[in-house]
Amino acid sequence: MWKAFAYFLFTCLAVVSRAFAGVGEDSLNRYDMLDPEDKLCASFIYQQGTVVLNNGVVLSVPEGYRFLDAVQGRTLVERLWGNPQNPGFLGLLLPQPGSRPDSILFGIEISMDETGYLSQQEALQLNYTALMQKMQQHLQQENNWRNKKGLSTVTDMYWALPPAYHETDNTQHLVRILQLGKNVSFLNYEMRILTRTGALSLTAVANTSQLNTLQTLMPAMVGNIHMPVGQRYLDFNPHTDQIAAWTERVLRMGELLDARHFFEWLLNTWLFVAVCLVMVLFIYLMQYFHRRRELPKQFFHVDERLN
């Protein structure tokens, strides 16, 4: 997957730079000589400055980058790079040609994940080991799809850094290493900005050597995102809005049979108090019915000598 990602991106950047280079050359003839995929890349129209995404979020394109909207971005990511469809795809940030010669950052995909509201308490208590297991299961399904398409597959995925949640800006940082074969690996840095209905996801794909760069770049990207009123994290309405279904309660369902996980979950929730109250009520009811079943006392004495 990421080999194709890198190959087509560098092809696009090279084509765009060549298409406008060279004074006095016949640009139309040069365009006609391109392959169909290169022609498609050369036809893309990039944006800079302030961009309004399809869901109303305002993006300030960082210096040294350019933005490809949802329609063109889907063509690049799905048709040329061979990725599966992402229903929440909103656009793609790509480095300007020649602006970062020493950096190997392929791009930052922007998408909306409408999975429901995730509270701060649940975000802080998420079991990221279980989350990675879920991701690996999904990866196996995606690899099956890639095999049918004749595309390269990801052989392994694991955390590059411990996942973190930042309470100050309500962001989750999920940094993964994706392994292709034995010698090729890529960095997948996903920053999820929590919203009223889910999360705005910014996923950067880069060489593993760019980990330190992304640790600085991605948190700073929060300042380039302007969430409209009504979609912000603080706009959540518990009476009308949907709660996220992929929370710790869901992720731990398969672990409840394990005694250690069960008691950790029990002691950290209100269920512990409820269980205690039920036990007290049960004991009281048992004693009550036991007293009701006792034989009544005799109110007169029968003298057996009279018989």
Side-chain angles (χ1 to χ4, degrees):
M1 169 177 124
W2 304 120
K3 282 184 177 180
F5 195 110
Y7 171 78
F8 285 115
L9 180 59
F10 284 121
T11 300
C12 293
L13 298 181
V15 168
V16 173
S17 61
R18 290 197 302 267
F20 296 99
V23 179
E25 295 183 0
D26 188 349
S27 59
L28 181 60
N29 291 337
R30 291 172 62 87
Y31 182 82
D32 290 338
M33 294 175 61
L34 298 175
D35 293 333
E37 292 179 350
D38 293 341
K39 286 183 180 181
L40 187 58
C41 289
S43 68
F44 288 153
I45 300 176
Y46 298 91
Q47 301 178 56
Q48 293 179 303
T50 301
V51 177
V52 180
L53 306 182
N54 289 346
N55 63 344
V57 173
V58 178
L59 168 68
S60 298
V61 180
E63 184 179 354
Y65 292 86
R66 53 187 180 165
F67 178 77
L68 201 60
D69 64 25
V71 175
Q72 299 176 102
R74 283 185 183 277
T75 301
L76 183 62
V77 173
E78 297 172 7
R79 177 176 171 181
L80 299 183
W81 292 345
N83 288 283
Q85 293 183 354
N86 180 358
F89 183 85
L90 295 173
L92 193 66
L93 278 172
L94 300 171
Q96 287 282 8
S99 62
R100 295 170 176 267
D102 298 328
S103 174
I104 310 179
L105 173 61
F106 303 133
I108 302 176
E109 179 180 314
I110 304 174
S111 61
M112 190 66 196
D113 184 5
E114 300 280 358
T115 52
Y117 176 81
L118 182 68
S119 69
Q120 283 197 346
Q121 181 179 1
E122 290 172 326
L124 291 169
Q125 295 179 354
L126 276 175
N127 185 334
Y128 288 105
T129 300
L131 179 59
M132 175 54 70
Q133 293 173 356
K134 294 289 184 181
M135 290 180 177
Q136 290 172 341
Q137 292 174 5
H138 179 75
L139 181 62
Q140 292 176 359
Q141 298 173 0
E142 187 173 308
N143 279 338
N144 293 335
W145 178 85
R146 292 183 177 283
N147 283 326
K148 293 179 182 179
K149 297 289 184 178
L151 302 172
S152 59
T153 59
V154 180
T155 57
D156 196 10
M157 178 172 60
Y158 51 90
W159 297 122
L161 293 172
Y165 172 71
H166 297 172
E167 295 183 71
T168 54
D169 52 14
N170 304 117
T171 58
Q172 286 179 300
H173 296 259
L174 309 176
V175 189
R176 301 174 287 257
I177 294 291
L178 285 80
Q179 191 77 31
L180 287 82
K182 295 181 179 180
N183 301 321
V184 180
S185 59
F186 289 91
L187 188 65
N188 187 292
Y189 193 125
E190 180 181 7
M191 180 178 68
R192 296 171 58 86
I193 305 174
L194 299 187
T195 68
R196 176 182 181 178
T197 58
L200 182 71
S201 178
L202 281 72
T203 305
V205 181
N207 190 284
T208 53
S209 62
Q210 298 303 311
L211 178 57
N212 293 334
T213 301
L214 290 181
Q215 283 183 281
T216 302
L217 172 66
M218 296 304 285
M221 283 293 297
V222 177
N224 295 75
I225 300 293
H226 306 280
M227 204 74 62
V229 176
Q231 294 188 34
R232 299 172 304 178
Y233 188 71
L234 297 178
D235 295 330
F236 172 72
N237 186 341
H239 301 292
T240 59
D241 296 336
Q242 179 183 357
I243 302 295
W246 63 280
T247 60
E248 179 72 357
R249 291 191 295 271
V250 175
L251 293 176
R252 283 193 172 182
M253 286 303 294
E255 301 175 344
L256 292 182
L257 295 179
D258 181 79
R260 180 175 63 86
H261 287 104
F262 175 77
F263 285 108
E264 285 179 0
W265 175 65
L266 194 63
L267 291 172
N268 287 298
T269 62
W270 58 266
L271 187 61
F272 177 74
V273 177
V275 170
C276 292
L277 293 175
V278 170
M279 292 178 63
V280 171
L281 180 60
F282 177 78
I283 295 173
Y284 174 79
L285 291 176
M286 290 296 294
Q287 291 179 343
Y288 175 78
F289 286 112
H290 180 71
R291 289 196 299 268
R292 288 286 302 271
R293 294 180 59 184
E294 289 180 358
L295 294 176
K297 297 180 179 179
Q298 295 181 351
F299 293 97
F300 57 89
H301 178 72
V302 177
D303 191 354
E304 299 293 339
R305 292 175 299 177
L306 300 176
N307 295 333

